[in-house]
C-alpha cells in the first residue's frame, strides 16, 4: 500500500491531466493536506488555463474530515464548480446515488452516480 493510499486518497491509473481527467479513490482514513495538494493543483491549473476537468471519484470508504480540509475546499469552491464539467461518483453505498441526484440539478457540473461494477461505463461517459 502506497503513501497516498494510507492517507485516505489516491490518484488512480486512469488519472490523466493531459486529457482533463482527474481520477481518484477515497478510502477510509485521514486525508492529509499533502495528499490533497495534487488535486487542488489540478483545479487551480484548469482555472488558470481556462480548461475543464472531468472527475472520476471512486468512493471505497469515507475519509476522516478535518477543519483544514473543509476550509481548503470552501476557499476553492468557486474554482471547483467553475472548472468541473462532469463528475462520476462511483461506489455502491446507497446514499451516493441519492447524493448525485440531489446535487446534480443545483450545480453547474453534470454529476452522475455509477455502481462499482460499472466503472468502465463511468469512464466512457467522462470521455465522451
Amino acid at each position: 500500500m502506497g503513501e497516498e493510499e494510507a492517507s485516505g486518497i489516491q490518484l488512480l491509473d486512469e488519472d490523466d491531466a493531459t486529457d482533463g481527467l482527474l481520477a481518484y479513490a477515497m478510502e477510509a482514513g485521514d486525508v492529509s493536506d499533502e495528499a490533497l495538494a495534487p488535486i487542488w493543483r489540478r483545479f487551480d491549473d484548469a482555472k488558470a488555463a481556462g480548461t475543464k476537468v472531468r472527475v472520476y471519484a471512486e468512493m471505497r470508504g469515507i475519509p476522516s474530515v478535518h477543519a483544514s480540509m473543509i476550509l481548503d475546499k470552501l476557499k476553492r469552491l468557486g474554482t471547483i464548480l467553475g472548472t468541473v464539467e462532469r463528475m462520476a461518483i462511483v461506489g455502491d453505498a446507497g446514499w451516493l446515488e441519492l447524493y448525485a441526484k440531489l446535487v446534480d440539478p443545483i450545480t453547474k457540473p453534470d454529476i452522475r452516480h455509477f455502481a462499482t461494477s460499472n466503472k468502465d461505463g463511468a469512464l466512457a461517459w467522462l470521455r465522451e
Side-chain angles (χ1 to χ4, degrees):
M1 184 177 284
E3 183 177 324
E4 287 177 299
E5 289 177 295
S7 72
I9 192 167
Q10 67 177 6
L11 291 175
L12 299 172
D13 291 340
E14 295 82 3
D15 184 66
D16 185 354
T18 60
D19 194 30
L21 180 62
L22 172 60
Y24 61 87
M26 299 297 292
E27 305 276 352
D30 186 43
V31 178
S32 68
D33 294 336
E34 295 79 25
L36 284 170
I39 292 174
W40 298 145
R41 190 169 36 254
R42 292 285 286 283
F43 293 122
D44 294 341
D45 290 349
K47 180 180 179 182
T51 59
K52 296 291 183 184
V53 177
R54 293 181 177 203
V55 179
Y56 175 95
E58 192 170 302
M59 303 301 291
R60 298 176 183 170
I62 304 300
S64 301
V65 177
H66 49 86
S68 64
M69 180 180 171
I70 294 169
L71 290 173
D72 280 347
K73 188 169 185 177
L74 288 173
K75 285 192 284 188
R76 290 177 171 83
L77 194 57
T79 298
I80 294 167
L81 293 175
T83 58
V84 174
E85 180 179 29
R86 290 182 175 187
M87 181 174 190
I89 301 171
V90 180
D92 294 328
W95 66 269
L96 292 173
E97 183 176 6
L98 178 61
Y99 174 79
K101 286 180 180 179
L102 290 173
V103 174
D104 181 55
I106 61 172
T107 60
K108 189 174 180 180
D110 190 2
I111 300 172
R112 294 189 188 173
H113 170 260
F114 293 83
T116 302
S117 62
N118 194 14
K119 293 177 186 181
D120 291 339
L123 288 165
W125 175 70
L126 289 170
R127 291 180 173 136
E128 284 179 355

